[in-house]
Amino acid sequence: MAQRMLLLLAVLAASACVSQAVLPIVMWHGMGDSCCNPLSMGSIKKDFEKAYPGVYVLSLEIGSSVSKDTENGFFMNVNDQITLVCQKLKADSQLANGFNSIGFSQGGQFLRAVAQRCPEPQMHNLVSVGGQHQGVYGFPKCPGNNSVICEEVRKLLDIGAYVGIVQDHLVQAEYWQDPFNYNEYVEKSVFLAEINNEKTYKAEYKTNLQKLANLVLVRFTKDTMVQPSISEWFGFYAPGTDKTTIPMQETHVYQKDLLGLQEMNAAGKLHFLASDTDHLQFNQSFFEDQLLPWFK
């Protein structure tokens, strides 16, 4: 009996050590997905819990239901989503000592906005899996099962990504960047230009982003959804073209050091990973070998 009790105590102690050693994990899904889809976020949540027994994993739900969460990924103003998430994180006592985060597709740039706008609780590592940090210029594919929603999104983009009502209510327009008209982008973008510090400069955005221990950027080299895919590495199209792309180091955001990326790069805080697949189509070995280690 005594031996069993000692064994139980040892197991509990080991579990407690794992739980204390691994920071909580916050996940934000991409367009067309939801917090709890058993084939995507639900499965990844289980993978984290299996790899790190006892770890607290929060998969963000934007809205009052899973279906509303998916809908809000298309039609809820991103700034309102960021405010809501900041409130959720601050109110969650399990995150009080900080957390690591992982964002999938648009969830990547949304979590970066959280890091810049809401430094408490502290985000330590941010892993952006296919996030479009310089935005997109094109909408070739729309994921998910709701073709009606996708068709409505395309119609709104056709009206004009920078039209006020479209900017305020269509998520994908809020990280649209027109390489042929930079000034209009800066003037009318309600989200991307703002968090990239291209509108009214906010020193705290630069300061807060630099508090990250690591910013991990995952690019899908055969991406047929994100145009251009180099946006996943903070690059974009060269000004005045939608054919030639430039790396992060040649972009306005980097050269003007609007977000502190130069300092982060010099300090070894920026990490560039690549999956030779289409958008978000990484396999289990890529997840275990390339992504999991950032959450130890």
Side-chain angles (χ1 to χ4, degrees):
M1 185 68 171
Q3 288 181 330
R4 288 184 178 179
M5 183 61 70
L6 288 172
L7 178 61
L8 177 60
L9 289 173
V11 170
L12 291 174
S15 178
C17 287
V18 170
S19 181
Q20 292 173 8
V22 179
L23 286 170
I25 299 169
V26 173
M27 307 193 306
W28 199 332
H29 63 80
M31 174 180 69
D33 204 353
S34 72
C35 64
C36 314
N37 185 334
L39 299 178
S40 55
M41 295 299 99
S43 177
I44 291 171
K45 182 174 184 289
K46 288 181 179 179
D47 284 340
F48 277 124
E49 292 168 341
K50 180 180 178 181
Y52 304 120
V55 69
Y56 174 61
V57 182
L58 173 64
S59 186
L60 292 166
E61 180 177 9
I62 312 300
S64 56
S65 66
V66 170
S67 61
K68 196 66 178 177
D69 184 23
T70 301
E71 181 183 329
N72 286 337
F74 290 98
F75 300 120
M76 182 179 181
N77 186 288
V78 181
N79 295 304
D80 294 338
Q81 294 189 51
I82 302 302
T83 298
L84 177 63
V85 167
C86 288
Q87 293 169 350
K88 282 177 177 280
L89 300 183
K90 196 163 188 178
D92 193 330
S93 61
Q94 297 198 67
L95 304 177
N97 294 322
F99 62 95
N100 290 319
S101 66
I102 183 167
F104 297 89
S105 197
Q106 65 185 23
Q109 62 262 35
F110 295 173
L111 280 170
R112 174 166 66 84
V114 170
Q116 292 174 205
R117 293 179 180 175
C118 310
E120 295 180 2
Q122 176 64 49
M123 185 187 299
H124 291 265
N125 289 344
L126 168 55
V127 178
S128 169
V129 185
Q132 305 96 43
H133 294 277
Q134 291 275 16
V136 298
Y137 186 62
F139 195 66
K141 288 187 177 181
C142 182
N145 297 319
N146 198 326
S147 60
V148 175
I149 288 180
C150 292
E151 187 59 32
E152 287 303 311
V153 169
R154 290 189 180 93
K155 286 179 181 178
L156 288 170
L157 288 174
D158 285 342
I159 291 172
Y162 296 132
V163 173
I165 191 171
V166 178
Q167 273 291 307
D168 289 338
H169 297 288
L170 180 62
V171 168
Q172 290 67 42
E174 294 169 33
Y175 54 84
W176 183 273
Q177 182 176 173
D178 185 345
F180 296 97
N181 199 334
Y182 178 77
N183 290 336
E184 184 181 26
Y185 153 71
V186 171
E187 177 188 352
K188 296 181 179 179
S189 171
V190 301
F191 174 69
L192 185 68
E194 203 276 336
I195 64 159
N196 281 358
N197 242 348
E198 296 171 284
K199 294 173 83 73
T200 301
Y201 180 78
K202 296 180 180 179
E204 64 270 25
Y205 280 9
K206 182 175 179 177
T207 299
N208 290 340
L209 189 62
Q210 288 182 295
K211 291 177 182 178
L212 288 175
N214 294 286
L215 174 56
V216 183
L217 303 171
V218 180
R219 178 184 180 186
F220 295 91
T221 60
K222 294 181 179 178
D223 206 317
T224 60
M225 179 177 296
V226 174
Q227 293 181 341
S229 68
I230 200 171
S231 180
E232 298 165 351
W233 277 355
F234 249 112
F236 200 61
Y237 288 119
T241 177
D242 60 357
K243 304 297 181 184
T244 304
T245 61
I246 55 175
M248 174 188 72
Q249 291 84 349
E250 296 179 25
T251 65
H252 177 78
V253 171
Y254 189 88
Q255 291 190 340
K256 297 293 184 181
D257 207 25
L258 299 178
L259 294 174
L261 295 175
Q262 291 184 22
E263 290 93 330
M264 294 180 74
N265 202 22
K269 290 185 174 184
L270 298 183
H271 308 273
F272 301 88
L273 307 181
S275 175
D276 191 28
T277 59
D278 203 347
H279 194 64
L280 299 184
Q281 299 303 304
F282 57 89
N283 58 28
Q284 188 67 21
S285 63
F286 184 88
F287 177 79
E288 293 176 357
D289 297 340
Q290 302 295 325
L291 304 184
L292 268 182
W294 298 103
F295 298 89
K296 289 182 179 178

